Amino acid sequence: MIQIALLGFGVVGAGTAALLRKHEALIAARLGQSVRIKYILDLRDFPNSPFADRIVHDFNVIQNDPEIALIAEMMGGEHPAYDYTKALLLRGKSVVTSNKAVVAAFGVELLEIARQNHVSYAFEASVGGGIPIIRPMTTDFLSGQIQTIAGILNGTTNYILTQMKDCGKTYADALAEAQSKGYAEKDPTADVGGFDTCRKLCILTALATGILPQYTEVHTEGIAAISAEDVRILAHAGCAVKLLGVMQTQNGKPCCITAPFVCSEKHPLNNVNDVFNGILIHADPLGDTMFYGRGAGADPTASAVANDILSLIRDGMDSFAPTFVSARPGDLLPSQDFTARRYIRTAMPKEALTARFGDLHAVGDDAYCTAAAFSDSAFAALIKDVGQISTLRIL
Ligand code: HSE
């Protein structure tokens, strides 16, 4: 029998405990030994939980127990999750996590500490909820070069956008529903502001390129400014507006951005709806590969956490060891160089717009898609004196 500990008994922590209990026999048969949760660290008590007797409030109980070699961190937020993780790795204990904030901010350091102590820091649940994406990125693209990542990486915002587009729900109602289903962060501004998507994009970029972008350097837009009129016009043309994290290689360097994008009717991400996430990866020579599944919520995220736990038990505590470095100046192109075609809606006459943007394809009254692609900085200069304009990048 192997004994483990959980840090955090919220949506994901409780889901992980429930999953390990539900599949206890299956797991024991697969691993040849059973997995027992010895401790669950939380500030609160849970007298009615079947795990009430495992709750502890003192982190030292866990870090000082030699029987505990593997811990799942599901606390959320950077601190004290980072501090606890570092302390555990330094003591030669493996940590698995769903905490993208810690991985995006401290992943380089924590992976190095894990390597030095012959243990693992595994983070399958940090991106894409239950979608297997982290491990495939560390093993299944080894022979190729990833050139583009485009991902719907946040279940809450995708749920909100889908409910608004397909069911006519208000933004507030759709957000409240996403929260009640356990999709949203404690503070949903991380979801709706795009920051959660941005951190996940940085983690995927690190695995794809070996360089972890500093998330504060990646231009990040949320969904608050999306115009209902644009959503309506684009839906009529078969297009969907999706909040995406995108890394594309331009002039041999990665360029990252988080923003709402237009996905045309035929684009594989167009139909990724509700809480589902979709991650499209273009690699040379493989071409396009799409990962799809439930991106948030207790069961999908717990599934990814539990898979990391069980993989480390089966394959060895030092078996997960990706490496990447923090971005240095010049490693990445700034987001303002991100280049895309544009959707524009403005009262300016079409002739004047064509003179400025080149060929246009009409998608509605006063609404067009450009044939040419523009960098963010070039586009900003072009629209300076246009007056009222609504615009989105096109994927
Ligand atoms: N709040 C996140 C989301 C949870 O909605 O995708 C999963 O990371």
Side-chain angles (χ1 to χ4, degrees):
M1 180 176 69
I2 182 153
Q3 309 221 62
I4 67 166
L6 310 184
L7 308 184
F9 202 49
V11 171
V12 182
T16 302
L19 189 161
L20 292 174
R21 171 163 288 207
K22 181 180 175 191
H23 284 175
E24 200 173 354
L26 182 74
I27 289 166
R30 285 204 177 132
L31 295 181
Q33 62 179 326
S34 56
V35 177
R36 180 177 183 272
I37 297 169
K38 187 171 182 181
Y39 305 116
I40 300 172
L41 181 77
D42 204 285
L43 293 170
R44 303 158 291 180
D45 281 309
F46 298 85
N48 300 321
S49 163
F51 299 95
D53 60 338
R54 323 288 165 88
I55 301 287
V56 294
H57 304 300
D58 181 3
F59 173 66
N60 290 315
V61 173
I62 295 170
Q63 70 165 342
N64 292 332
D65 186 335
E67 282 188 345
I68 299 292
L70 179 53
I71 296 95
E73 183 273 301
M74 299 159 289
M75 306 176 73
E78 290 188 9
H79 299 283
Y82 157 74
D83 313 271
Y84 289 174
T85 301
K86 186 172 175 179
L88 292 164
L89 294 171
L90 284 168
R91 285 177 174 249
K93 299 175 191 286
S94 285
V95 177
V96 311
T97 188
S98 58
N99 192 330
K100 53 263 164 174
V102 173
V103 182
F106 306 107
V108 171
E109 180 194 5
L110 294 174
L111 281 166
E112 178 57 19
I113 295 173
R115 196 186 61 76
Q116 284 172 6
N117 289 276
H118 312 291
V119 292
S120 292
Y121 179 52
F123 43 91
E124 184 60 67
S126 66
V127 180
I131 303 173
I133 179 68
I134 300 294
R135 280 173 194 271
M137 286 196 74
T138 61
T139 57
D140 299 330
F141 293 91
L142 278 175
S143 66
Q145 189 168 29
I146 294 176
Q147 294 167 326
T148 309
I149 301 168
I152 295 173
L153 299 172
N154 184 270
T156 301
T157 45
N158 206 40
Y159 184 85
I160 292 170
L161 291 172
T162 306
Q163 292 292 314
M164 288 171 71
K165 175 171 169 264
D166 293 349
C167 310
K169 297 230 168 95
T170 64
Y171 171 84
D173 283 350
L175 172 59
E177 270 179 30
Q179 287 175 301
S180 75
K181 288 172 186 276
Y183 301 157
E185 301 297 305
K186 270 181 221 161
D187 174 3
T189 51
D191 297 299
V192 297
F195 310 114
D196 180 76
T197 293
C198 176
R199 288 180 168 104
K200 291 167 175 169
L201 171 68
C202 291
I203 294 168
L204 295 181
T205 299
L207 295 170
T209 66
I211 299 166
L212 176 68
Q214 189 163 358
Y215 64 84
T216 49
E217 296 292 310
V218 175
H219 176 78
T220 298
E221 295 170 28
I223 63 170
I226 296 175
S227 134
E229 179 66 356
D230 290 329
V231 171
R232 192 190 59 75
I233 290 169
L234 286 161
H236 194 66
C239 303
V241 179
K242 297 290 186 188
L243 180 65
L244 302 183
V246 182
M247 182 284 289
Q248 66 185 18
T249 309
Q250 298 178 187
N251 302 321
K253 285 190 181 179
C255 187
C256 295
I257 196 164
T258 300
F261 276 75
V262 178
C263 296
S264 70
E265 191 164 21
K266 289 196 177 128
H267 195 282
L269 293 174
N270 178 295
N271 242 330
V272 175
N273 289 320
D274 289 316
V275 74
F276 284 83
N277 283 190
I279 302 154
L280 186 68
I281 294 181
H282 184 86
D284 174 48
L286 173 64
D288 284 348
T289 305
M290 174 98 158
F291 295 81
Y292 172 80
R294 299 178 77 83
D299 286 345
T301 315
S303 168
V305 171
N307 287 338
D308 266 346
I309 293 171
L310 305 185
S311 295
L312 293 185
I313 295 170
R314 186 192 64 182
D315 301 337
M317 286 298 165
D318 61 353
S319 60
F320 183 79
T323 51
F324 42 78
V325 298
S326 300
R328 294 157 306 178
D331 279 347
L332 293 107
L333 290 181
S335 297
Q336 72 203 36
D337 286 359
F338 189 91
T339 302
R341 289 171 56 231
R342 287 281 180 158
Y343 161 85
I344 47 181
R345 181 166 59 87
T346 168
M348 195 183 235
K350 187 174 180 193
E351 295 70 34
L353 290 171
T354 305
R356 195 170 292 226
F357 299 106
D359 285 346
L360 300 172
H361 163 65
V363 284
D365 289 346
D366 298 332
Y368 309 91
C369 293
T370 68
F374 301 92
S375 69
D376 274 22
S377 49
F379 188 76
L382 280 173
I383 61 169
K384 233 179 202 161
D385 58 348
V386 167
Q388 186 81 12
I389 184 166
S390 185
T391 180
L392 290 159
R393 296 167 193 83
I394 301 172
L395 190 64

